[in-house]
Amino acid sequence: MPNISEKIVGELEPKLDQHGKPRASTLYYFSGATLQGKKAPAGFAVRVTAAGTKAFVLFHRKDGKGYLETLGRWDANAQGGSLTVRAAIVEAEQLVKDFTKGNREDPRPERTRRLEDGNKPDGLDVAGLLDMFVTRYVEKEAKLRSTDQIKHTFERLVKPEIGDIGIYEIRRSHVINMLDAIADGEGGEDGDAGGPVMADRTLAYVRKAFNWYATRDDEFKTPIVQGMARTKPKDRQRKRVLADDEIRDLWAALETIEDVPACYPRFIKALLLTATRRNEASGMHGAELELPHADDGNVWKIPGDRYKTKLDHVIPLTVAALDEIGKVEKGARFIFSSDGGKTPFSGFSKAKRALDAEIAKRRRADGREPMPNWTLHDLRRTARTLMSRAKVDADHAERCLGHVMAVVRGTYDCWAFLDEKRAVFEALAALVDKILHPASNVELLSAHRAGSADNAALR
């Protein structure tokens, strides 16, 4: 390779294409060429544009992928520049040393990094990806009702573990270690969240975020693969239904519980009597109640934008349910609230712990075993089971829970079934009252004898 000089660079011209026109860019490599004792490293070249502008570049590889980095323009350009040939070789040598010593881990040219990662010098990390996913997809595009839960999970369990890892450096082992910590009850900043189910829920959120971002980035590959889940869907299906004595214990504990908002006992009872989900009941507000409805009595209409099926769900309200809702004042907002209706009740975990402690105290005083673990959603399953026990029509019971019927029937059968649903909720309320106030053996025997006497008289 001959010595490179300012004269040689000045004589370089763009090559012509097949039509005889100057190419947009032509590379002339001078690997190994020297100038005043300075030897150009491998990959050193001069790029000449169709307009004749010349710049020094360095071609290098990282993990088998090639990158072309611009060192700067030749100072003798008519348009101006800052590098002589010798200065360009010196800069190329320093860049090669940085690559060799690991001082330059990201092989992309600075301009490429700015275009792909914005002004963030270290590139996009997992925390930034998750924030982007929440802002663009969860809140803006999908408008998920679980937004708060997703954000809380990211902040508490994911970001402390893998948030500061670059999105191109995240590996399966990082995700697995995070899931292990959550499953063992050691994940997050406070270390109080745990269990296989919570690990799988976190995995589902992160998987969705990674897959979403992968559709926007040609280079990003999600590290999540099949087999990372800790439980099977069948194992996660709960079948817990409260027994009669547990319902009685629950009602009794709600009468004596302390250190919970005044609305909490009414809220818990309403969950069972309306067969609704936790957030649906806590978000009940005066605008959703029609008391009384013009034609169909008292009803609660849950709008589709906060119901799971995204369809409006109408619940006929029984006298028992109305007793828990209480008097709805004009202009009142949220029915179950700890701040006068400004915001819905939300302190579920703390209040539930206090309720469980009260139930445990009562059972312990009676010399009974502790009540098995239960969740607020188990009340909805209990309500559906009691409906069947009351021998109501199964389809009407499913409609009371807001379940969408089969496709064809759901499309063509648009009858609201308010009367039928009201009958189901009345049967549920009657059965709950019977459970709470069971007839004594004497009363049962008296009723049996009275019935026998009536039958004898008829004969």
Side-chain angles (χ1 to χ4, degrees):
M1 173 64 66
N3 290 351
I4 185 174
S5 66
E6 304 289 339
K7 181 180 179 181
I8 291 176
V9 172
E11 294 175 349
L12 297 176
E13 296 289 341
K15 293 181 179 179
L16 303 181
D17 61 16
Q18 59 183 350
H19 302 293
K21 295 182 179 181
R23 293 181 179 178
S25 179
T26 303
L27 285 176
Y28 291 93
Y29 282 93
F30 291 92
S31 301
T34 59
L35 177 66
Q36 298 177 4
K38 282 291 181 183
K39 185 176 181 180
F44 181 79
V46 177
R47 180 169 56 198
V48 184
T49 68
T53 303
K54 301 174 178 67
F56 301 104
V57 297
L58 180 70
F59 178 82
H60 57 95
R61 291 183 178 276
K62 175 71 173 179
D63 297 330
K65 187 172 183 178
Y67 298 92
L68 191 66
E69 183 142 7
T70 300
L71 303 173
R73 282 187 176 188
W74 183 41
D75 64 352
N77 279 301
Q79 303 89 341
S82 60
L83 293 179
T84 63
V85 176
R86 180 179 173 81
I89 294 176
V90 171
E91 189 162 334
E93 284 182 330
Q94 184 59 50
L95 196 58
V96 171
K97 290 179 181 179
D98 288 343
F99 290 144
T100 304
K101 295 179 180 179
N103 296 333
R104 178 79 175 275
E105 296 181 359
D106 191 334
R108 294 175 298 170
E110 182 65 28
R111 181 174 180 274
T112 303
R113 288 198 298 274
R114 289 200 306 270
L115 290 175
E116 295 180 352
D117 300 340
N119 293 323
K120 193 170 184 180
D122 296 329
L124 184 65
D125 57 19
V126 172
L129 183 156
L130 297 178
D131 290 340
M132 189 186 303
F133 170 70
V134 169
T135 301
R136 291 182 176 272
Y137 178 79
V138 176
E139 296 180 334
K140 186 176 180 180
E141 297 177 21
K143 299 179 181 179
L144 300 179
R145 287 184 296 274
S146 55
T147 296
D148 290 341
Q149 184 174 349
I150 293 174
K151 291 168 65 175
H152 185 62
T153 301
F154 286 163
E155 294 295 333
R156 189 164 58 96
L157 298 176
V158 182
K159 289 184 180 180
E161 299 292 333
I162 62 174
D164 59 352
I165 301 176
I167 63 171
Y168 303 110
E169 284 72 51
I170 185 72
R171 298 291 181 263
R172 294 176 190 173
S173 58
H174 297 140
V175 178
I176 288 294
N177 291 337
M178 176 189 71
L179 297 176
D180 286 343
I182 297 173
D184 296 339
E186 301 171 355
E189 294 179 333
D190 48 19
D192 67 351
V197 174
M198 189 66 235
D200 284 352
R201 184 178 301 163
T202 303
L203 174 63
Y205 294 157
V206 175
R207 177 192 288 114
K208 180 64 179 178
F210 284 176
N211 288 343
W212 173 84
Y213 186 79
T215 65
R216 308 167 64 88
D217 188 328
D218 294 334
E219 301 297 328
F220 177 70
K221 299 294 187 294
T222 175
I224 297 178
V225 296
Q226 289 185 346
M228 286 187 171
R230 305 311 165 94
T231 62
K232 298 179 180 179
K234 186 176 181 180
D235 297 334
R236 295 195 297 267
Q237 294 177 352
R238 288 183 60 84
K239 299 179 181 179
R240 178 80 162 90
V241 173
L242 271 64
D244 288 5
D245 65 317
E246 293 175 332
I247 295 176
R248 287 191 289 269
D249 288 338
L250 173 60
W251 245 248
L254 290 171
E255 296 298 327
T256 58
I257 189 174
E258 299 178 352
D259 298 327
V260 296
C263 67
Y264 188 68
R266 298 187 295 107
F267 164 69
I268 293 296
K269 294 177 181 179
L271 279 178
L272 180 63
L273 294 171
T274 60
T276 48
R277 301 176 182 87
R278 185 190 71 179
N279 290 347
E280 294 162 3
S282 66
M284 179 193 295
H285 55 80
E288 298 175 353
L289 301 175
E290 299 180 18
L291 310 173
H293 191 275
D295 302 315
D296 305 298
N298 302 308
V299 298
W300 170 26
K301 184 177 180 179
I302 307 177
D305 61 2
R306 71 178 197 89
Y307 199 71
K308 185 175 182 178
T309 62
K310 297 188 177 180
L311 301 173
D312 291 350
H313 179 46
V314 180
I315 299 177
L317 296 172
T318 62
V319 173
L322 287 170
D323 286 344
E324 306 308 332
I325 292 173
K327 183 180 179 181
V328 180
E329 299 179 0
K330 186 176 181 179
R333 292 183 63 194
F334 295 101
I335 304 304
F336 302 112
S337 173
S338 57
D339 59 5
K342 296 179 181 179
T343 59
F345 171 72
S346 60
F348 306 111
S349 298
K350 182 178 179 180
K352 176 63 162 50
R353 287 194 293 268
L355 178 56
D356 287 339
E358 184 68 17
I359 293 175
K361 183 175 70 174
R362 300 181 70 87
R363 293 174 74 98
R364 188 165 53 248
D366 295 338
R368 292 182 290 155
E369 293 292 326
M371 183 169 167
N373 179 57
W374 66 285
T375 68
L376 297 187
H377 194 75
D378 292 338
L379 295 175
R380 178 173 162 88
R381 190 179 302 103
T382 299
R384 178 61 182 88
T385 303
L386 293 177
M387 291 174 184
S388 294
R389 180 172 159 186
K391 296 181 172 57
V392 303
D393 182 85
D395 280 359
H396 297 160
E398 290 299 307
R399 290 188 174 93
C400 286
L401 269 67
H403 289 163
V404 178
M405 306 308 291
V407 176
V408 175
R409 292 175 61 190
T411 301
Y412 291 96
D413 190 352
C414 299
W415 177 248
F417 291 93
L418 281 180
D419 290 339
E420 293 82 356
K421 288 164 67 175
R422 187 178 299 280
V424 173
F425 279 112
E426 293 286 0
L428 171 63
L431 183 53
V432 170
D433 183 70
K434 184 176 180 181
I435 291 172
L436 296 175
H437 306 94
S440 65
N441 291 335
V442 175
E443 291 172 329
L444 291 173
L445 180 59
S446 176
H448 176 73
R449 288 175 176 173
S452 300
D454 291 340
N455 290 336
L458 290 174
R459 291 196 295 270

